[in-house]
Amino acid sequence: MDRKEAFWHILYRYLWPFPYFRDVTQGSLLERQQNYRYNRRIGIHHLPGFMLKWACLTLFFFVLGNVCEELLEVVLPAACCFVTGTWTLTIAVQLTVAWLWLRRFPELGR
């Protein structure tokens, strides 16, 4: 029997990068340092792709909100698009900060 993965799970894995990282607050100092090195190695290369995805989503929702407001003259859907665009912008900023942090601090502090 061939089991297919649910669409929502695929979308979650495509957009949400945080499960791919390891917890650096648990374990001994050596384990925390190893986890930080792993996060740094993964994050520096893969976070820009996730940042681009969320930036595109942000742009999409703000453009859609603008279209709803200007061309269709409907306020509620436009407001929903702008709120969703703000949420996606928040995630894009979090990803950017995480990427900059991993690039700036090569080792975990003691």
Side-chain angles (χ1 to χ4, degrees):
M1 187 163 119
D2 189 18
R3 244 182 108 193
K4 302 242 187 251
E5 192 172 4
F7 171 74
W8 295 111
H9 192 259
I10 293 171
L11 186 64
Y12 169 78
R13 289 188 322 137
Y14 181 74
L15 290 175
W16 202 246
F18 302 113
Y20 298 110
F21 292 90
R22 295 180 181 169
D23 186 6
V24 296
T25 62
Q26 302 294 322
S28 68
L29 179 61
L30 179 62
E31 291 170 331
R32 291 193 317 256
Q33 288 174 339
Q34 288 173 338
N35 289 340
Y36 188 80
R37 275 188 236 116
Y38 171 82
N39 289 348
R40 189 168 187 272
R41 187 175 64 246
I42 294 296
I44 288 175
H45 299 294
H46 295 290
L47 280 178
F50 285 104
M51 290 164 29
L52 180 64
K53 293 171 195 175
W54 284 95
C56 289
L57 279 173
T58 300
L59 181 66
F60 169 76
F61 281 113
F62 278 115
V63 167
L64 185 61
N66 194 29
V67 166
C68 288
E69 184 179 22
E70 297 293 326
L71 298 178
L72 303 177
E73 297 180 359
V74 287
V75 177
L76 186 61
C80 291
C81 288
F82 289 135
V83 168
T84 305
T86 303
W87 291 341
T88 59
L89 178 63
T90 303
I91 299 299
V93 168
Q94 286 180 337
L95 291 171
T96 304
V97 168
W99 181 71
L100 289 171
W101 180 274
L102 290 173
R103 286 183 53 95
R104 170 65 179 92
F105 299 108
E107 286 299 321
L108 181 64
R110 298 182 197 268

